[in-house]
């Protein structure tokens, strides 16, 4: 049996993204599980199902999906409930729930570490090539995107049928119109807008968006374009991680 170290995949130095560590199948009770660490942000995902569903929650023509987000400390509040709905809608867009009618699928996301991030600044002249300079900071601003990525890896490990993969990317716009991926607390506070997108792997379409602040239509399109380019790097990591898991070495 492969050791835990052998199942843990390290992205190394990915362009325009902070370092990613991922391990699938580390929990025995769920049908699928994944640990996602991006920088110093770590989320653990467990996927249960398809299993029997309560009659009150049963849907006759598709599976019932439930997403639970657990905080590191304390009880979940309104903020976590809103994030649960965003992640749920994203998962429902890709999971082929009609193949498992009258069943239940539950995705549980546990925040392990929510302190520390790496900010990647993309000046206007560097957006197209995604050339970035990273520097450490001491707070988190991309928990939603990390939860989306952990959920996708958990669904992959559970072997649930999906029409595509998805990933989460967070970016921020400052006063000068520069785009920052994985913004730190200082960048987020000073930014005119902070945007998180869920991107699918088939056509790079936006499945979900969360916006804080205001921005023009042109700036929105620039953020989407930057997120789509960054998503390509994450999807390549997904493929490399899956190949590593199922290979003999």
């Amino acid at each position: 049996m492969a050791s835990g170290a052998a199942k843990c995949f390290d992205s190394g130095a990915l362009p325009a993204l902070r370092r990613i560590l991922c391990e699938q199948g580390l929990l025995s009770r769920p049908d699928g599980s994944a640990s996602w660490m991006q920088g110093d942000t770590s989320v653990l995902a467990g996927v249960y199902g398809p299993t029997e569903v309560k009659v009150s929650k049963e849907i006759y023509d598709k599976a019932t999906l439930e997403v639970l987000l657990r905080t590191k400390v304390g009880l979940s509040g309104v903020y976590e409930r809103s994030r649960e709905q965003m992640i749920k809608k994203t998962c429902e867009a890709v999971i082929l729930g009609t193949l498992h009618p009258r069943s239940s699928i539950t995705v549980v996301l546990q925040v392990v570490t929510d302190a520390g991030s790496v900010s990647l600044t993309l000046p206007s002249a560097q957006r197209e090539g995604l050339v970035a300079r990273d520097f450490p900071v001491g707070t988190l601003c991309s928990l939603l995107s990390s939860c989306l990525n952990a959920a996708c890896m958990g669904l992959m490990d559970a072997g649930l049928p999906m029409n595509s993969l998805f990933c989460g990317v967070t970016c921020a716009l400052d006063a000068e119109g520069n785009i920052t991926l994985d913004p730190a607390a200082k960048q987020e506070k000073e930014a005119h807008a902070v945007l998180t997108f869920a991107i699918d792997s088939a056509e790079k379409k936006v499945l979900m968006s969360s916006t804080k602040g205001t921005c023009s239509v042109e700036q929105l399109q620039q953020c989407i374009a930057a997120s789509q380019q960054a998503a390509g790097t994450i999807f390549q990591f997904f493929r490399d991680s899956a190949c590593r898991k199922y290979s003999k070495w």
Side-chain angles (χ1 to χ4, degrees):
M1 180 176 291
S3 63
K7 294 187 291 183
C8 184
F9 185 69
D10 188 344
S11 68
L14 287 176
L17 288 176
R18 48 191 169 133
R19 191 174 188 178
I20 299 173
L21 291 172
C22 179
E23 182 178 357
Q24 290 179 294
L26 69 164
L27 301 179
S28 58
R29 289 182 178 273
D31 297 293
S33 60
S35 174
W36 180 272
M37 178 178 289
Q38 191 165 350
D40 292 325
T41 304
S42 179
V43 179
L44 185 62
V47 179
Y48 302 82
T51 59
E52 185 178 358
V53 64
K54 293 182 179 180
V55 177
S56 59
K57 296 182 178 180
E58 181 181 279
I59 304 176
Y60 77 93
D61 60 345
K62 65 177 183 178
T64 301
L65 178 65
E66 186 176 10
V67 175
L68 303 175
L69 177 59
R70 306 301 188 192
T71 59
K72 181 181 178 182
V73 179
L75 300 175
S76 301
V78 177
Y79 177 84
E80 286 75 26
R81 294 292 178 264
S82 66
R83 294 302 182 263
E84 288 174 355
Q85 289 302 312
M86 293 179 185
I87 299 170
K88 177 182 177 180
K89 295 300 183 182
T90 302
C91 293
E92 286 179 337
V94 299
I95 296 176
L96 300 177
T98 54
L99 298 180
H100 300 284
R102 295 187 173 91
S103 64
S104 173
I105 300 173
T106 304
V107 179
V108 181
L109 299 167
Q110 174 65 56
V111 179
V112 179
T113 306
D114 61 355
S117 178
V118 174
S119 179
L120 302 174
T121 303
L122 298 181
S124 301
Q126 298 175 338
R127 287 177 195 154
E128 189 170 322
L130 285 179
V131 179
R133 177 175 58 85
D134 59 325
F135 52 93
V137 294
T139 187
L140 168 75
C141 287
S142 56
L143 181 59
L144 177 57
S145 57
S146 295
C147 288
L148 287 166
N149 295 329
C152 184
M153 294 298 284
L155 293 171
M156 289 173 57
D157 188 60
L160 289 173
M162 298 185 289
N163 54 32
S164 68
L165 302 178
F166 63 89
C167 72
V169 181
T170 300
C171 60
L173 276 170
D174 62 15
E176 298 178 356
N178 296 325
I179 298 176
T180 303
L181 296 177
D182 289 340
K186 183 178 179 180
Q187 282 79 27
E188 182 179 11
K189 184 178 180 180
E190 297 174 351
H192 282 192
V194 180
L195 307 94
T196 299
F197 301 100
I199 310 292
D200 81 321
S201 62
E203 301 178 6
K204 298 290 181 67
K205 294 187 299 184
V206 177
L207 301 176
M208 183 277 300
S209 66
S210 173
T211 305
K212 175 184 177 182
T214 59
C215 63
S216 66
V217 175
E218 181 182 359
Q219 290 173 329
L220 175 63
Q221 293 297 330
Q222 291 173 348
C223 288
I224 292 176
S227 298
Q228 288 172 331
Q229 292 188 44
T233 303
I234 298 177
F235 291 136
Q236 184 60 51
F237 174 81
F238 285 174
R239 288 188 286 269
D240 294 342
S241 180
C243 290
R244 174 71 176 270
K245 177 185 176 182
Y246 293 108
S247 64
K248 296 181 179 180
W249 49 277

